[in-house]
Amino acid sequence: MLQGILGQLGAGLSNTGLTSAETGALNSLANNAARGNPYAPQIGNYANELLSGGGATNQAGAVNQNYLDYRGALTPYASGSMIGNNPALAAQLAQIQSDVTNQVNGQFAAAGREFSGANANTLGRGIAAGTASVIAAQYNQDVANQRAAQDAAYAAGNTNAGILSGLQQQGVANKGHGVTVAGNALDAGNYGANAILAAEAQRRGIPVQALGLLAQIGVPIAGLGQQKSGTDTTTQEMSGVDQFSRIAGGIGSLLSGYGAFKRSDMRLKEDIAPVGTLFDGTPVYGYRYKGAPAYHIGLMAQDVEKITPGAVIEINGYKAVDYRAATEAARRIHEAG
């Protein structure tokens, strides 16, 4: 039986290489990698642009010029040069003077006193009375305009400074972001080489993993057919009955369980691989218990239940096997043969 099991493992050694599907997938990865990352140039350009500030301050000159133009328009009002020198006021005063002169002179001419002292005196008082309120109102308005222009210029200066400062800070932030993107650009440039290395690592690793799995299965099985005593390294052949007893005991000792029954429900196991059969046809498997690293050799309760149902019970919802009862029929078959 051991020879049969090990024979199956030996046959499996020739199948540890890459399958055609694995080879095709790895070749596809390598071919794609050889073309490199198609977005690497764009990523590199983006990194360079950010490292240059990303154009954040491109409009700084236009923003500042707008401020200068606005301040220039406010200057006559903000400086106070318009106070008492408003062209509109001069025209209005000239009109008032003309109207008062025509009215007063007309009245004195009708009375035959044109160009008299009283005419001149009355004309002066009339012009003063007509223009005084207009001059006062315009003065107040010009002062108010001056203060408003000064306030507007101050606010515009602050706004302009804030905009320029914001643009400068954005430029600095873009440069910092460019440092990060520069790393992405390097990764994109190295994408092809890294992908090829990963694919080749898979090409080398898959056969090694397959051989390792077979070795973990085969070594403990082969050890069951040997015995040593003291320091003697001579291997002795055992009888068929002794070999069978050893493998049955060895299989049972690899599992934990309850009393004579060992938990052997396939639902508790993973990485299950057939390694041989008992003399009565019961399959033998290599497997791991879920969540445990150790590799074991043993039976599946579901298989035993079909051949020797009396050797299987259920514990806490899972099936367990009495290995002595499960292997008794196989032992008798072997002894009879």
Side-chain angles (χ1 to χ4, degrees):
M1 184 194 67
L2 283 174
Q3 289 176 351
I5 293 174
L6 293 174
Q8 294 179 52
L9 290 176
L13 292 175
S14 62
N15 296 322
T16 57
L18 294 172
T19 66
S20 59
E22 290 170 337
T23 300
L26 289 171
N27 288 340
S28 178
L29 287 174
N31 291 335
N32 290 339
R35 290 192 289 268
N37 188 331
Y39 304 106
Q42 294 91 320
I43 296 174
N45 291 337
Y46 179 51
N48 288 330
E49 182 177 351
L50 287 175
L51 288 171
S52 299
T57 59
N58 287 354
Q59 298 301 319
V63 171
N64 195 54
Q65 187 59 50
N66 290 339
Y67 164 68
L68 294 176
D69 293 343
Y70 180 64
R71 189 179 67 178
L74 291 176
T75 296
Y77 300 93
S79 65
S81 62
M82 295 294 291
I83 298 177
N85 192 33
N86 193 317
L89 174 62
Q92 187 176 10
L93 293 177
Q95 185 63 47
I96 292 173
Q97 183 176 355
S98 176
D99 292 344
V100 170
T101 298
N102 291 334
Q103 182 179 0
V104 171
N105 287 344
Q107 291 175 351
F108 276 88
R113 301 174 61 190
E114 185 178 8
F115 303 117
S116 63
N119 185 177
N121 190 28
T122 301
L123 179 59
R125 288 198 300 270
I127 291 174
T131 59
S133 61
V134 174
I135 292 174
Q138 187 61 52
Y139 174 81
N140 293 334
Q141 183 61 52
D142 288 341
V143 171
N145 289 343
Q146 180 189 24
R147 296 191 60 181
Q150 291 172 341
D151 291 342
Y154 178 76
N158 289 337
T159 300
N160 186 65
I163 293 174
L164 293 177
S165 176
L167 293 176
Q168 184 65 29
Q169 290 175 5
Q170 184 60 52
V172 172
N174 286 347
K175 291 179 180 179
H177 188 48
V179 173
T180 301
V181 176
N184 296 336
L186 289 176
D187 291 340
N190 294 329
Y191 163 81
N194 287 331
I196 289 176
L197 289 175
E200 291 306 308
Q202 286 281 63
R203 199 186 300 276
R204 293 172 180 269
I206 290 175
V208 173
Q209 291 172 0
L211 286 170
L213 177 61
L214 289 173
Q216 288 181 341
I217 295 173
V219 170
I221 293 177
L224 293 175
Q226 300 177 357
Q227 69 174 7
K228 297 180 181 179
S229 60
T231 59
D232 185 6
T233 59
T234 301
T235 300
Q236 298 179 353
E237 292 294 330
M238 303 173 66
S239 69
V241 175
D242 289 339
Q243 287 188 20
F244 187 82
S245 298
R246 175 63 66 87
I247 192 171
I251 289 173
S253 68
L254 291 174
L255 300 171
S256 59
Y258 302 86
F261 288 90
K262 313 298 180 181
R263 290 173 296 175
S264 196
D265 196 310
M266 67 172 53
R267 293 173 294 173
L268 298 172
K269 304 172 183 180
E270 60 185 356
D271 294 338
I272 300 171
V275 296
T277 59
L278 298 181
F279 289 113
D280 62 351
T282 305
V284 180
Y285 299 91
Y287 58 85
R288 289 186 178 85
Y289 281 103
K290 292 181 178 179
Y295 205 84
H296 301 284
I297 304 295
L299 309 175
M300 296 293 165
Q302 283 77 0
D303 293 332
V304 175
E305 195 171 33
K306 297 175 183 177
I307 299 173
T308 314
V312 180
I313 64 172
E314 188 169 298
I315 301 175
N316 296 330
Y318 293 97
K319 298 181 185 300
V321 173
D322 181 343
Y323 269 78
R324 181 176 296 279
T327 58
E328 179 64 24
R331 185 183 68 80
R332 287 198 301 269
I333 293 172
H334 177 67
E335 288 177 344

